[in-house]
Short mmCIF file of all heavy atoms in Angstrom, two decimals:
data_model
loop_
_atom_site.label_atom_id
_atom_site.label_comp_id
_atom_site.label_asym_id
_atom_site.label_seq_id
_atom_site.Cartn_x
_atom_site.Cartn_y
_atom_site.Cartn_z
N GLU A 1 -20.94 -2.97 6.82
CA GLU A 1 -20.45 -2.46 8.11
C GLU A 1 -19.18 -3.19 8.53
O GLU A 1 -18.26 -2.57 9.08
CB GLU A 1 -21.54 -2.61 9.17
CG GLU A 1 -22.75 -1.71 8.97
CD GLU A 1 -22.37 -0.23 8.92
OE1 GLU A 1 -21.45 0.17 9.68
OE2 GLU A 1 -22.96 0.51 8.13
N ASN A 2 -19.11 -4.49 8.27
CA ASN A 2 -17.90 -5.25 8.60
C ASN A 2 -16.73 -4.75 7.76
O ASN A 2 -15.61 -4.58 8.28
CB ASN A 2 -18.14 -6.73 8.34
CG ASN A 2 -16.94 -7.58 8.71
OD1 ASN A 2 -16.47 -7.56 9.84
ND2 ASN A 2 -16.42 -8.34 7.75
N ASP A 3 -16.98 -4.51 6.48
CA ASP A 3 -15.93 -3.96 5.61
C ASP A 3 -15.41 -2.63 6.16
O ASP A 3 -14.20 -2.40 6.22
CB ASP A 3 -16.48 -3.73 4.20
CG ASP A 3 -16.48 -4.99 3.35
OD1 ASP A 3 -16.03 -6.05 3.85
OD2 ASP A 3 -16.92 -4.91 2.19
N ILE A 4 -16.33 -1.75 6.53
CA ILE A 4 -15.95 -0.42 7.00
C ILE A 4 -15.07 -0.51 8.24
O ILE A 4 -14.08 0.22 8.37
CB ILE A 4 -17.20 0.44 7.25
CG1 ILE A 4 -17.90 0.77 5.92
CG2 ILE A 4 -16.83 1.73 7.99
CD1 ILE A 4 -19.25 1.43 6.07
N GLU A 5 -15.40 -1.40 9.16
CA GLU A 5 -14.59 -1.56 10.37
C GLU A 5 -13.19 -2.05 10.03
O GLU A 5 -12.19 -1.59 10.61
CB GLU A 5 -15.28 -2.51 11.34
CG GLU A 5 -16.53 -1.94 11.98
CD GLU A 5 -16.28 -0.60 12.66
OE1 GLU A 5 -15.31 -0.51 13.45
OE2 GLU A 5 -17.03 0.36 12.39
N ILE A 6 -13.08 -2.98 9.08
CA ILE A 6 -11.77 -3.47 8.66
C ILE A 6 -10.98 -2.37 7.97
O ILE A 6 -9.78 -2.20 8.20
CB ILE A 6 -11.91 -4.70 7.74
CG1 ILE A 6 -12.54 -5.87 8.51
CG2 ILE A 6 -10.56 -5.11 7.16
CD1 ILE A 6 -12.86 -7.07 7.65
N LEU A 7 -11.66 -1.59 7.12
CA LEU A 7 -11.00 -0.50 6.42
C LEU A 7 -10.47 0.55 7.39
O LEU A 7 -9.36 1.09 7.21
CB LEU A 7 -11.97 0.14 5.42
CG LEU A 7 -12.38 -0.77 4.25
CD1 LEU A 7 -13.57 -0.16 3.50
CD2 LEU A 7 -11.22 -1.02 3.31
N LYS A 8 -11.24 0.84 8.43
CA LYS A 8 -10.76 1.77 9.45
C LYS A 8 -9.52 1.23 10.13
O LYS A 8 -8.55 1.97 10.39
CB LYS A 8 -11.85 2.01 10.50
CG LYS A 8 -13.03 2.84 10.01
CD LYS A 8 -14.07 3.00 11.11
CE LYS A 8 -15.25 3.83 10.66
NZ LYS A 8 -16.29 3.96 11.72
N ARG A 9 -9.52 -0.06 10.43
CA ARG A 9 -8.38 -0.69 11.08
C ARG A 9 -7.14 -0.62 10.18
O ARG A 9 -6.03 -0.35 10.64
CB ARG A 9 -8.71 -2.15 11.42
CG ARG A 9 -7.59 -2.94 12.06
CD ARG A 9 -7.19 -2.37 13.39
NE ARG A 9 -6.15 -3.17 14.03
CZ ARG A 9 -5.37 -2.71 14.99
NH1 ARG A 9 -5.48 -1.47 15.43
NH2 ARG A 9 -4.45 -3.50 15.52
N GLN A 10 -7.33 -0.86 8.88
CA GLN A 10 -6.21 -0.76 7.94
C GLN A 10 -5.58 0.64 8.00
O GLN A 10 -4.36 0.78 8.02
CB GLN A 10 -6.70 -1.05 6.52
CG GLN A 10 -7.10 -2.49 6.28
CD GLN A 10 -7.71 -2.70 4.91
OE1 GLN A 10 -7.99 -1.74 4.18
NE2 GLN A 10 -7.93 -3.94 4.54
N GLU A 11 -6.44 1.66 8.01
CA GLU A 11 -5.94 3.03 8.02
C GLU A 11 -5.23 3.39 9.33
O GLU A 11 -4.32 4.22 9.34
CB GLU A 11 -7.09 4.00 7.75
CG GLU A 11 -7.66 3.87 6.34
CD GLU A 11 -9.00 4.56 6.18
OE1 GLU A 11 -9.34 5.42 7.03
OE2 GLU A 11 -9.72 4.26 5.21
N GLU A 12 -5.64 2.76 10.42
CA GLU A 12 -4.99 2.99 11.70
C GLU A 12 -3.61 2.34 11.78
O GLU A 12 -2.68 2.89 12.37
CB GLU A 12 -5.86 2.45 12.84
CG GLU A 12 -7.16 3.22 13.05
CD GLU A 12 -8.09 2.50 14.03
OE1 GLU A 12 -7.72 1.39 14.49
OE2 GLU A 12 -9.17 3.03 14.32
N VAL A 13 -3.48 1.17 11.15
CA VAL A 13 -2.25 0.39 11.26
C VAL A 13 -1.22 0.77 10.20
O VAL A 13 -0.02 0.87 10.50
CB VAL A 13 -2.57 -1.12 11.18
CG1 VAL A 13 -1.28 -1.94 11.12
CG2 VAL A 13 -3.43 -1.55 12.35
N LEU A 14 -1.66 0.99 8.98
CA LEU A 14 -0.74 1.20 7.86
C LEU A 14 -0.33 2.66 7.76
O LEU A 14 -0.75 3.40 6.86
CB LEU A 14 -1.37 0.69 6.56
CG LEU A 14 -1.70 -0.80 6.55
CD1 LEU A 14 -2.40 -1.19 5.26
CD2 LEU A 14 -0.45 -1.64 6.78
N ARG A 15 0.53 3.05 8.71
CA ARG A 15 1.04 4.42 8.77
C ARG A 15 2.56 4.40 8.73
O ARG A 15 3.19 3.40 9.07
CB ARG A 15 0.52 5.13 10.02
CG ARG A 15 -1.00 5.26 10.02
CD ARG A 15 -1.53 6.02 11.21
NE ARG A 15 -2.99 6.17 11.14
CZ ARG A 15 -3.72 6.84 12.01
NH1 ARG A 15 -3.12 7.43 13.05
NH2 ARG A 15 -5.03 6.94 11.87
N PHE A 16 3.13 5.52 8.33
CA PHE A 16 4.57 5.62 8.11
C PHE A 16 5.21 6.50 9.19
O PHE A 16 4.60 7.45 9.67
CB PHE A 16 4.86 6.25 6.74
CG PHE A 16 4.36 5.47 5.57
CD1 PHE A 16 3.01 5.48 5.23
CD2 PHE A 16 5.23 4.74 4.79
CE1 PHE A 16 2.55 4.78 4.13
CE2 PHE A 16 4.78 4.02 3.69
CZ PHE A 16 3.43 4.04 3.36
N ASP A 17 6.47 6.19 9.51
CA ASP A 17 7.26 7.09 10.34
C ASP A 17 7.80 8.24 9.50
O ASP A 17 7.95 9.37 9.98
CB ASP A 17 8.41 6.34 11.01
CG ASP A 17 7.92 5.34 12.04
OD1 ASP A 17 6.92 5.63 12.72
OD2 ASP A 17 8.53 4.26 12.15
N ALA A 18 8.06 7.94 8.24
CA ALA A 18 8.53 8.95 7.28
C ALA A 18 8.42 8.34 5.89
O ALA A 18 8.32 7.12 5.74
CB ALA A 18 9.97 9.35 7.57
N LEU A 19 8.43 9.20 4.86
CA LEU A 19 8.42 8.69 3.49
C LEU A 19 9.15 9.70 2.60
O LEU A 19 8.60 10.72 2.20
CB LEU A 19 6.99 8.48 2.98
CG LEU A 19 6.91 7.74 1.64
CD1 LEU A 19 7.21 6.26 1.84
CD2 LEU A 19 5.55 7.92 0.98
N SER A 20 10.41 9.38 2.32
CA SER A 20 11.22 10.24 1.47
C SER A 20 11.00 9.88 0.00
O SER A 20 10.29 8.92 -0.33
CB SER A 20 12.69 10.06 1.82
OG SER A 20 13.11 8.74 1.45
N GLU A 21 11.65 10.64 -0.88
CA GLU A 21 11.59 10.33 -2.31
C GLU A 21 12.14 8.93 -2.58
O GLU A 21 11.57 8.17 -3.39
CB GLU A 21 12.38 11.37 -3.10
CG GLU A 21 11.75 12.75 -3.15
CD GLU A 21 12.09 13.62 -1.97
OE1 GLU A 21 12.68 13.10 -0.98
OE2 GLU A 21 11.78 14.82 -2.01
N ASP A 22 13.22 8.58 -1.92
CA ASP A 22 13.80 7.24 -2.10
C ASP A 22 12.85 6.17 -1.58
O ASP A 22 12.72 5.09 -2.18
CB ASP A 22 15.14 7.14 -1.38
CG ASP A 22 16.23 7.94 -2.08
OD1 ASP A 22 16.06 8.28 -3.26
OD2 ASP A 22 17.24 8.24 -1.42
N ASP A 23 12.19 6.45 -0.45
CA ASP A 23 11.23 5.49 0.10
C ASP A 23 10.08 5.25 -0.87
O ASP A 23 9.62 4.12 -1.05
CB ASP A 23 10.68 6.00 1.44
CG ASP A 23 11.74 6.08 2.53
OD1 ASP A 23 12.71 5.32 2.46
OD2 ASP A 23 11.57 6.91 3.44
N ALA A 24 9.59 6.33 -1.46
CA ALA A 24 8.49 6.22 -2.41
C ALA A 24 8.90 5.37 -3.61
O ALA A 24 8.11 4.56 -4.11
CB ALA A 24 8.03 7.60 -2.87
N TRP A 25 10.12 5.56 -4.06
CA TRP A 25 10.62 4.75 -5.19
C TRP A 25 10.73 3.28 -4.80
O TRP A 25 10.37 2.39 -5.59
CB TRP A 25 11.98 5.27 -5.65
CG TRP A 25 12.49 4.54 -6.86
CD1 TRP A 25 13.35 3.50 -6.90
CD2 TRP A 25 12.11 4.81 -8.22
NE1 TRP A 25 13.55 3.08 -8.19
CE2 TRP A 25 12.81 3.87 -9.02
CE3 TRP A 25 11.28 5.75 -8.82
CZ2 TRP A 25 12.68 3.85 -10.42
CZ3 TRP A 25 11.16 5.74 -10.21
CH2 TRP A 25 11.86 4.79 -10.99
N THR A 26 11.20 3.03 -3.59
CA THR A 26 11.31 1.64 -3.12
C THR A 26 9.93 0.98 -3.03
O THR A 26 9.75 -0.16 -3.49
CB THR A 26 11.99 1.61 -1.74
OG1 THR A 26 13.30 2.17 -1.84
CG2 THR A 26 12.09 0.18 -1.22
N LEU A 27 8.97 1.68 -2.45
CA LEU A 27 7.62 1.15 -2.35
C LEU A 27 7.01 0.94 -3.73
O LEU A 27 6.42 -0.11 -4.02
CB LEU A 27 6.75 2.09 -1.53
CG LEU A 27 5.24 1.77 -1.48
CD1 LEU A 27 4.99 0.38 -0.91
CD2 LEU A 27 4.50 2.84 -0.69
N GLY A 28 7.14 1.93 -4.60
CA GLY A 28 6.58 1.80 -5.94
C GLY A 28 7.20 0.66 -6.72
O GLY A 28 6.50 -0.07 -7.44
N SER A 29 8.50 0.48 -6.58
CA SER A 29 9.18 -0.61 -7.28
C SER A 29 8.69 -1.96 -6.77
O SER A 29 8.50 -2.91 -7.56
CB SER A 29 10.70 -0.48 -7.09
OG SER A 29 11.18 0.74 -7.63
N LEU A 30 8.51 -2.06 -5.46
CA LEU A 30 7.96 -3.30 -4.89
C LEU A 30 6.58 -3.59 -5.48
O LEU A 30 6.29 -4.73 -5.87
CB LEU A 30 7.88 -3.17 -3.37
CG LEU A 30 7.33 -4.34 -2.56
CD1 LEU A 30 7.90 -4.30 -1.14
CD2 LEU A 30 5.81 -4.35 -2.47
N MET A 31 5.75 -2.56 -5.56
CA MET A 31 4.40 -2.73 -6.09
C MET A 31 4.44 -3.15 -7.55
O MET A 31 3.66 -4.00 -7.99
CB MET A 31 3.60 -1.44 -5.91
CG MET A 31 3.36 -1.07 -4.45
SD MET A 31 2.47 0.50 -4.24
CE MET A 31 0.83 0.02 -4.80
N ARG A 32 5.35 -2.55 -8.31
CA ARG A 32 5.44 -2.93 -9.72
C ARG A 32 5.89 -4.37 -9.89
O ARG A 32 5.36 -5.10 -10.74
CB ARG A 32 6.41 -1.99 -10.46
CG ARG A 32 6.30 -2.14 -11.97
CD ARG A 32 7.35 -1.37 -12.73
NE ARG A 32 7.01 -1.30 -14.14
CZ ARG A 32 7.10 -2.32 -15.00
NH1 ARG A 32 7.54 -3.50 -14.58
NH2 ARG A 32 6.75 -2.16 -16.28
N GLU A 33 6.85 -4.78 -9.09
CA GLU A 33 7.32 -6.17 -9.16
C GLU A 33 6.19 -7.14 -8.85
O GLU A 33 6.02 -8.16 -9.54
CB GLU A 33 8.47 -6.38 -8.19
CG GLU A 33 9.77 -5.69 -8.60
CD GLU A 33 10.86 -5.87 -7.55
OE1 GLU A 33 10.60 -6.62 -6.56
OE2 GLU A 33 11.94 -5.25 -7.70
N ARG A 34 5.40 -6.85 -7.80
CA ARG A 34 4.30 -7.74 -7.43
C ARG A 34 3.23 -7.77 -8.52
O ARG A 34 2.67 -8.83 -8.83
CB ARG A 34 3.68 -7.29 -6.10
CG ARG A 34 4.63 -7.30 -4.91
CD ARG A 34 5.15 -8.69 -4.59
NE ARG A 34 6.16 -8.63 -3.53
CZ ARG A 34 7.48 -8.55 -3.77
NH1 ARG A 34 7.93 -8.53 -5.02
NH2 ARG A 34 8.34 -8.51 -2.76
N ALA A 35 2.93 -6.62 -9.09
CA ALA A 35 1.91 -6.56 -10.14
C ALA A 35 2.39 -7.32 -11.39
O ALA A 35 1.61 -8.07 -12.00
CB ALA A 35 1.60 -5.11 -10.49
N ALA A 36 3.64 -7.13 -11.76
CA ALA A 36 4.17 -7.80 -12.94
C ALA A 36 4.19 -9.31 -12.75
O ALA A 36 3.87 -10.08 -13.67
CB ALA A 36 5.57 -7.27 -13.25
N ALA A 37 4.56 -9.75 -11.55
CA ALA A 37 4.61 -11.18 -11.26
C ALA A 37 3.24 -11.82 -11.37
O ALA A 37 3.10 -13.00 -11.75
CB ALA A 37 5.19 -11.41 -9.87
N LYS A 38 2.19 -11.07 -11.03
CA LYS A 38 0.82 -11.58 -11.09
C LYS A 38 0.14 -11.28 -12.42
O LYS A 38 -1.00 -11.67 -12.64
CB LYS A 38 0.00 -10.97 -9.96
CG LYS A 38 0.47 -11.36 -8.57
CD LYS A 38 -0.38 -10.70 -7.49
CE LYS A 38 0.08 -11.09 -6.10
NZ LYS A 38 -0.75 -10.45 -5.04
N GLY A 39 0.83 -10.57 -13.31
CA GLY A 39 0.25 -10.23 -14.59
C GLY A 39 -0.90 -9.26 -14.49
O GLY A 39 -1.84 -9.31 -15.30
N LEU A 40 -0.82 -8.34 -13.54
CA LEU A 40 -1.92 -7.39 -13.32
C LEU A 40 -1.73 -6.14 -14.18
O LEU A 40 -0.67 -5.53 -14.15
CB LEU A 40 -1.99 -6.99 -11.84
CG LEU A 40 -2.22 -8.12 -10.84
CD1 LEU A 40 -2.22 -7.57 -9.42
CD2 LEU A 40 -3.51 -8.86 -11.13
N PRO A 41 -2.76 -5.73 -14.91
CA PRO A 41 -2.67 -4.53 -15.74
C PRO A 41 -2.93 -3.27 -14.92
O PRO A 41 -4.02 -2.70 -14.94
CB PRO A 41 -3.77 -4.75 -16.78
CG PRO A 41 -4.81 -5.54 -16.04
CD PRO A 41 -4.06 -6.42 -15.07
N LEU A 42 -1.93 -2.81 -14.20
CA LEU A 42 -2.12 -1.72 -13.25
C LEU A 42 -1.32 -0.47 -13.62
O LEU A 42 -0.20 -0.55 -14.12
CB LEU A 42 -1.71 -2.15 -11.84
CG LEU A 42 -2.58 -3.19 -11.14
CD1 LEU A 42 -1.97 -3.53 -9.78
CD2 LEU A 42 -4.00 -2.67 -10.97
N VAL A 43 -1.91 0.66 -13.34
CA VAL A 43 -1.20 1.92 -13.22
C VAL A 43 -0.93 2.12 -11.73
O VAL A 43 -1.83 1.90 -10.90
CB VAL A 43 -2.02 3.09 -13.78
CG1 VAL A 43 -1.55 4.41 -13.20
CG2 VAL A 43 -1.94 3.13 -15.29
N ILE A 44 0.29 2.48 -11.36
CA ILE A 44 0.67 2.67 -9.96
C ILE A 44 1.20 4.09 -9.80
O ILE A 44 2.06 4.53 -10.55
CB ILE A 44 1.74 1.65 -9.53
CG1 ILE A 44 1.22 0.22 -9.74
CG2 ILE A 44 2.14 1.87 -8.07
CD1 ILE A 44 2.30 -0.85 -9.57
#
């Protein structure tokens, strides 16, 4: 139940004003850099 309340809060806060194709590329590139730095085997 504690997890669910936190997850709801995440969904309320982590919202966008807009997300263009360029924005998606910027976000994805950031995620790839963080994953590579941590050595995480991720598909993004």
Side-chain angles (χ1 to χ4, degrees):
E1 292 302 324
N2 183 57
D3 278 359
I4 291 171
E5 290 306 310
I6 295 174
L7 294 168
K8 289 179 180 178
R9 178 63 177 160
Q10 291 174 351
E11 293 166 18
E12 292 171 357
V13 173
L14 299 177
R15 297 182 177 184
F16 298 76
D17 292 325
L19 189 74
S20 67
E21 290 85 350
D22 288 342
D23 294 333
W25 184 264
T26 300
L27 172 59
S29 299
L30 180 155
M31 295 177 71
R32 193 187 193 286
E33 289 176 6
R34 299 298 175 266
K38 296 179 180 180
L40 300 179
L42 291 177
V43 159
I44 302 170

